[in-house]
Amino acid sequence: MGFLKGLFGKKAPPPRQLNHPNDLQLGDMISMDDSFALPPQLRGQQLRVESINTYEFERKQQTEWVLKGHGNSNVFLSLDEDDETYLCLSIKINRAQVEQLFDLDAFSDIFEEDIQAILDLQGEAPEELSQWLAPQYHQVNYAQFGYFHRQDYRGQRPPQDEGLNRGDAFESYQLLDAEEDFAIDIEVYEGGETDVLLTQYRPLSDIREYWPGSN
């Protein structure tokens, strides 16, 4: 009888509670606010967590959630945690888009150690990028060294050996607008591969709903 009671009386585990970006796992989904303050890639969109990465710096780690909606492009989510917590939402742009948006001579100043670069938006931005941009940026970060890991290391330290698990070494550069609502984030990897991201900082309330995935 004890065996049968244990077999048929087993309760299903309670559903996972999800109400903060820090708790997002692979396969989870979020629904964004439909405010016109958000760009079209985010406005009213349902986004699914496709992968989770880790940025490792000397004194901190930062989790990155790679989100995908109905389009083909990814949205990258991280958190800016200081006195308050904000969503950092980013998209990558290619070299042709960089050339379209900024003067390349001014852009190259970002990588000069003795220059505090000022970057102005030139011309009219294409519609799909216009709400990701500010008119002017100033440099706040120069060549901060770190490692990029294609793995979720929340609550643990990434591998410290010199093998393949060490992650991809890179240097990061950042520019902010005057109100610190928008940023340009640049990552330069060994071999010269460079990622340029347009970032905006938004309140946590821009995520309206969370849905735990099946994993």
Side-chain angles (χ1 to χ4, degrees), residues 125-156:
E127 185 177 355
E128 69 272 14
L129 298 180
S130 61
Q131 287 187 267
W132 290 94
L133 291 157
Q136 187 181 78
Y137 300 84
H138 63 278
Q139 188 165 357
V140 296
N141 191 23
Y142 174 84
Q144 183 181 11
F145 184 78
Y147 291 97
F148 174 73
H149 303 269
R150 292 175 176 83
Q151 194 164 333
D152 182 2
Y153 283 114
R154 281 177 289 180
Q156 55 184 311

Short mmCIF file of all heavy atoms in Angstrom, two decimals, residues 125-156:
data_model
loop_
_atom_site.label_atom_id
_atom_site.label_comp_id
_atom_site.label_asym_id
_atom_site.label_seq_id
_atom_site.Cartn_x
_atom_site.Cartn_y
_atom_site.Cartn_z
N ALA A 125 18.75 58.93 -40.20
CA ALA A 125 18.88 57.49 -39.99
C ALA A 125 17.74 56.75 -40.67
O ALA A 125 16.61 57.27 -40.77
CB ALA A 125 18.87 57.19 -38.50
N PRO A 126 17.99 55.54 -41.16
CA PRO A 126 16.90 54.74 -41.71
C PRO A 126 15.84 54.46 -40.65
O PRO A 126 16.15 54.41 -39.45
CB PRO A 126 17.59 53.45 -42.17
CG PRO A 126 18.90 53.42 -41.45
CD PRO A 126 19.28 54.84 -41.21
N GLU A 127 14.61 54.30 -41.09
CA GLU A 127 13.48 54.20 -40.17
C GLU A 127 13.66 53.10 -39.13
O GLU A 127 13.35 53.27 -37.96
CB GLU A 127 12.19 53.96 -40.96
CG GLU A 127 10.94 53.96 -40.09
CD GLU A 127 9.68 53.79 -40.91
OE1 GLU A 127 9.76 53.78 -42.16
OE2 GLU A 127 8.60 53.67 -40.29
N GLU A 128 14.22 51.95 -39.55
CA GLU A 128 14.33 50.82 -38.62
C GLU A 128 15.37 51.06 -37.52
O GLU A 128 15.41 50.34 -36.52
CB GLU A 128 14.67 49.53 -39.38
CG GLU A 128 16.06 49.47 -39.97
CD GLU A 128 16.13 50.07 -41.38
OE1 GLU A 128 15.17 50.76 -41.79
OE2 GLU A 128 17.13 49.81 -42.07
N LEU A 129 16.22 52.10 -37.70
CA LEU A 129 17.25 52.38 -36.69
C LEU A 129 17.02 53.70 -35.95
O LEU A 129 17.68 53.96 -34.95
CB LEU A 129 18.64 52.44 -37.36
CG LEU A 129 19.14 51.17 -38.03
CD1 LEU A 129 20.53 51.41 -38.63
CD2 LEU A 129 19.19 50.01 -37.04
N SER A 130 16.09 54.51 -36.43
CA SER A 130 15.97 55.88 -35.92
C SER A 130 15.70 55.93 -34.42
O SER A 130 16.19 56.83 -33.72
CB SER A 130 14.88 56.64 -36.68
OG SER A 130 13.62 56.00 -36.51
N GLN A 131 14.94 54.99 -33.87
CA GLN A 131 14.61 55.03 -32.44
C GLN A 131 15.66 54.34 -31.57
O GLN A 131 15.50 54.22 -30.36
CB GLN A 131 13.23 54.42 -32.20
CG GLN A 131 12.10 55.33 -32.68
CD GLN A 131 10.74 54.80 -32.29
OE1 GLN A 131 10.11 54.09 -33.05
NE2 GLN A 131 10.30 55.12 -31.08
N TRP A 132 16.74 53.91 -32.19
CA TRP A 132 17.87 53.34 -31.45
C TRP A 132 19.00 54.36 -31.27
O TRP A 132 20.04 54.03 -30.68
CB TRP A 132 18.42 52.12 -32.18
CG TRP A 132 17.53 50.93 -32.18
CD1 TRP A 132 16.63 50.57 -33.14
CD2 TRP A 132 17.45 49.91 -31.17
NE1 TRP A 132 15.99 49.41 -32.79
CE2 TRP A 132 16.47 48.98 -31.60
CE3 TRP A 132 18.10 49.71 -29.96
CZ2 TRP A 132 16.14 47.86 -30.83
CZ3 TRP A 132 17.77 48.59 -29.20
CH2 TRP A 132 16.80 47.68 -29.65
N LEU A 133 18.82 55.55 -31.78
CA LEU A 133 19.94 56.49 -31.89
C LEU A 133 19.68 57.81 -31.17
O LEU A 133 18.54 58.26 -31.05
CB LEU A 133 20.20 56.77 -33.38
CG LEU A 133 20.77 55.60 -34.18
CD1 LEU A 133 20.48 55.78 -35.66
CD2 LEU A 133 22.27 55.47 -33.93
N ALA A 134 20.78 58.41 -30.73
CA ALA A 134 20.77 59.77 -30.18
C ALA A 134 21.54 60.68 -31.14
O ALA A 134 22.34 60.19 -31.94
CB ALA A 134 21.41 59.80 -28.80
N PRO A 135 21.32 62.00 -31.09
CA PRO A 135 22.03 62.90 -32.02
C PRO A 135 23.54 62.94 -31.79
O PRO A 135 24.30 63.14 -32.72
CB PRO A 135 21.40 64.27 -31.74
CG PRO A 135 20.09 63.98 -31.07
CD PRO A 135 20.30 62.72 -30.30
N GLN A 136 23.97 62.77 -30.53
CA GLN A 136 25.40 62.88 -30.23
C GLN A 136 25.76 61.95 -29.07
O GLN A 136 24.96 61.72 -28.16
CB GLN A 136 25.77 64.32 -29.87
CG GLN A 136 27.28 64.53 -29.70
CD GLN A 136 27.61 65.96 -29.31
OE1 GLN A 136 27.45 66.35 -28.15
NE2 GLN A 136 28.06 66.76 -30.28
N TYR A 137 27.00 61.44 -29.13
CA TYR A 137 27.51 60.56 -28.09
C TYR A 137 28.89 61.04 -27.64
O TYR A 137 29.63 61.63 -28.43
CB TYR A 137 27.68 59.12 -28.62
CG TYR A 137 26.41 58.47 -29.11
CD1 TYR A 137 25.95 58.68 -30.40
CD2 TYR A 137 25.69 57.60 -28.28
CE1 TYR A 137 24.80 58.06 -30.87
CE2 TYR A 137 24.54 56.97 -28.74
CZ TYR A 137 24.10 57.20 -30.03
OH TYR A 137 22.97 56.58 -30.49
N HIS A 138 29.23 60.73 -26.38
CA HIS A 138 30.58 61.00 -25.88
C HIS A 138 31.16 59.70 -25.31
O HIS A 138 30.43 58.89 -24.72
CB HIS A 138 30.58 62.10 -24.82
CG HIS A 138 29.79 61.74 -23.59
ND1 HIS A 138 28.41 61.88 -23.52
CD2 HIS A 138 30.18 61.25 -22.38
CE1 HIS A 138 27.99 61.49 -22.33
NE2 HIS A 138 29.05 61.10 -21.61
N GLN A 139 32.45 59.51 -25.46
CA GLN A 139 33.07 58.26 -25.06
C GLN A 139 33.25 58.19 -23.54
O GLN A 139 33.70 59.14 -22.90
CB GLN A 139 34.44 58.10 -25.74
CG GLN A 139 35.07 56.72 -25.52
CD GLN A 139 36.21 56.46 -26.48
OE1 GLN A 139 36.51 57.28 -27.35
NE2 GLN A 139 36.84 55.29 -26.35
N VAL A 140 32.91 57.03 -22.96
CA VAL A 140 33.03 56.84 -21.51
C VAL A 140 33.88 55.62 -21.16
O VAL A 140 34.23 55.42 -20.00
CB VAL A 140 31.65 56.70 -20.84
CG1 VAL A 140 30.85 57.98 -20.97
CG2 VAL A 140 30.88 55.51 -21.42
N ASN A 141 34.21 54.79 -22.15
CA ASN A 141 34.94 53.56 -21.86
C ASN A 141 35.93 53.29 -22.99
O ASN A 141 35.57 53.36 -24.17
CB ASN A 141 33.96 52.39 -21.73
CG ASN A 141 34.62 51.15 -21.18
OD1 ASN A 141 35.65 51.23 -20.52
ND2 ASN A 141 34.04 49.99 -21.46
N TYR A 142 37.19 53.00 -22.61
CA TYR A 142 38.23 52.75 -23.61
C TYR A 142 38.91 51.41 -23.32
O TYR A 142 39.46 51.20 -22.24
CB TYR A 142 39.27 53.86 -23.59
CG TYR A 142 40.45 53.59 -24.52
CD1 TYR A 142 40.38 53.90 -25.87
CD2 TYR A 142 41.61 52.99 -24.02
CE1 TYR A 142 41.44 53.62 -26.72
CE2 TYR A 142 42.67 52.72 -24.86
CZ TYR A 142 42.58 53.03 -26.21
OH TYR A 142 43.63 52.74 -27.05
N ALA A 143 38.83 50.49 -24.28
CA ALA A 143 39.60 49.24 -24.29
C ALA A 143 39.51 48.48 -22.97
O ALA A 143 40.52 48.04 -22.42
CB ALA A 143 41.06 49.53 -24.64
N GLN A 144 38.29 48.31 -22.45
CA GLN A 144 38.13 47.48 -21.26
C GLN A 144 38.23 46.02 -21.66
O GLN A 144 37.47 45.53 -22.51
CB GLN A 144 36.78 47.75 -20.57
CG GLN A 144 36.60 46.96 -19.29
CD GLN A 144 35.26 47.21 -18.63
OE1 GLN A 144 34.37 47.83 -19.21
NE2 GLN A 144 35.11 46.72 -17.41
N PHE A 145 39.17 45.29 -21.05
CA PHE A 145 39.44 43.92 -21.45
C PHE A 145 38.47 42.96 -20.79
O PHE A 145 38.10 43.12 -19.62
CB PHE A 145 40.87 43.53 -21.08
CG PHE A 145 41.26 42.16 -21.54
CD1 PHE A 145 41.60 41.92 -22.86
CD2 PHE A 145 41.27 41.09 -20.65
CE1 PHE A 145 41.96 40.65 -23.29
CE2 PHE A 145 41.62 39.83 -21.07
CZ PHE A 145 41.96 39.60 -22.39
N GLY A 146 38.05 41.94 -21.54
CA GLY A 146 37.16 40.93 -20.98
C GLY A 146 37.16 39.68 -21.82
O GLY A 146 37.87 39.56 -22.83
N TYR A 147 36.35 38.71 -21.39
CA TYR A 147 36.15 37.46 -22.12
C TYR A 147 34.66 37.27 -22.37
O TYR A 147 33.83 37.54 -21.49
CB TYR A 147 36.68 36.26 -21.34
CG TYR A 147 38.19 36.22 -21.21
CD1 TYR A 147 38.81 36.71 -20.06
CD2 TYR A 147 38.98 35.69 -22.22
CE1 TYR A 147 40.19 36.67 -19.92
CE2 TYR A 147 40.36 35.65 -22.09
CZ TYR A 147 40.96 36.14 -20.94
OH TYR A 147 42.33 36.10 -20.82
N PHE A 148 34.35 36.77 -23.56
CA PHE A 148 32.96 36.48 -23.92
C PHE A 148 32.77 34.97 -23.93
O PHE A 148 33.52 34.24 -24.59
CB PHE A 148 32.63 37.07 -25.30
CG PHE A 148 31.27 36.70 -25.80
CD1 PHE A 148 30.14 37.27 -25.26
CD2 PHE A 148 31.12 35.78 -26.84
CE1 PHE A 148 28.87 36.93 -25.72
CE2 PHE A 148 29.86 35.43 -27.31
CZ PHE A 148 28.74 36.01 -26.75
N HIS A 149 31.78 34.50 -23.18
CA HIS A 149 31.49 33.06 -23.07
C HIS A 149 30.11 32.77 -23.66
O HIS A 149 29.13 33.42 -23.26
CB HIS A 149 31.50 32.61 -21.61
CG HIS A 149 32.78 32.88 -20.89
ND1 HIS A 149 33.82 31.97 -20.82
CD2 HIS A 149 33.19 33.97 -20.17
CE1 HIS A 149 34.81 32.48 -20.11
NE2 HIS A 149 34.46 33.69 -19.70
N ARG A 150 30.04 31.81 -24.55
CA ARG A 150 28.75 31.38 -25.10
C ARG A 150 28.10 30.36 -24.16
O ARG A 150 27.78 29.24 -24.56
CB ARG A 150 28.93 30.82 -26.50
CG ARG A 150 29.35 31.86 -27.51
CD ARG A 150 29.64 31.27 -28.88
NE ARG A 150 29.96 32.31 -29.84
CZ ARG A 150 31.16 32.87 -29.98
NH1 ARG A 150 32.16 32.46 -29.20
NH2 ARG A 150 31.38 33.80 -30.87
N GLN A 151 27.95 30.75 -22.92
CA GLN A 151 27.40 29.88 -21.90
C GLN A 151 26.89 30.72 -20.74
O GLN A 151 27.37 31.83 -20.50
CB GLN A 151 28.47 28.90 -21.40
CG GLN A 151 27.92 27.73 -20.59
CD GLN A 151 28.93 26.60 -20.44
OE1 GLN A 151 29.81 26.42 -21.30
NE2 GLN A 151 28.82 25.85 -19.37
N ASP A 152 25.93 30.17 -20.03
CA ASP A 152 25.33 30.85 -18.88
C ASP A 152 26.13 30.50 -17.63
O ASP A 152 26.14 29.34 -17.19
CB ASP A 152 23.87 30.39 -18.74
CG ASP A 152 23.14 31.08 -17.60
OD1 ASP A 152 23.74 31.94 -16.93
OD2 ASP A 152 21.96 30.74 -17.37
N TYR A 153 26.79 31.48 -17.04
CA TYR A 153 27.58 31.26 -15.83
C TYR A 153 27.00 32.02 -14.64
O TYR A 153 27.75 32.39 -13.73
CB TYR A 153 29.04 31.68 -16.06
CG TYR A 153 29.83 30.67 -16.86
CD1 TYR A 153 30.31 30.99 -18.13
CD2 TYR A 153 30.10 29.40 -16.35
CE1 TYR A 153 31.03 30.06 -18.87
CE2 TYR A 153 30.81 28.47 -17.09
CZ TYR A 153 31.28 28.81 -18.34
OH TYR A 153 31.99 27.88 -19.07
N ARG A 154 25.71 32.21 -14.61
CA ARG A 154 25.11 32.86 -13.45
C ARG A 154 25.36 32.02 -12.19
O ARG A 154 25.15 30.81 -12.18
CB ARG A 154 23.61 33.05 -13.66
CG ARG A 154 23.26 34.23 -14.53
CD ARG A 154 21.77 34.33 -14.77
NE ARG A 154 21.32 33.25 -15.66
CZ ARG A 154 20.05 33.09 -16.04
NH1 ARG A 154 19.12 33.92 -15.60
NH2 ARG A 154 19.71 32.11 -16.85
N GLY A 155 25.82 32.68 -11.13
CA GLY A 155 26.05 31.99 -9.88
C GLY A 155 27.32 31.18 -9.81
O GLY A 155 27.57 30.48 -8.82
N GLN A 156 28.14 31.26 -10.85
CA GLN A 156 29.41 30.53 -10.82
C GLN A 156 30.47 31.31 -11.59
O GLN A 156 30.15 32.20 -12.37
CB GLN A 156 29.25 29.13 -11.42
CG GLN A 156 28.67 29.12 -12.82
CD GLN A 156 28.43 27.71 -13.34
OE1 GLN A 156 29.32 26.86 -13.27
NE2 GLN A 156 27.24 27.46 -13.85
#
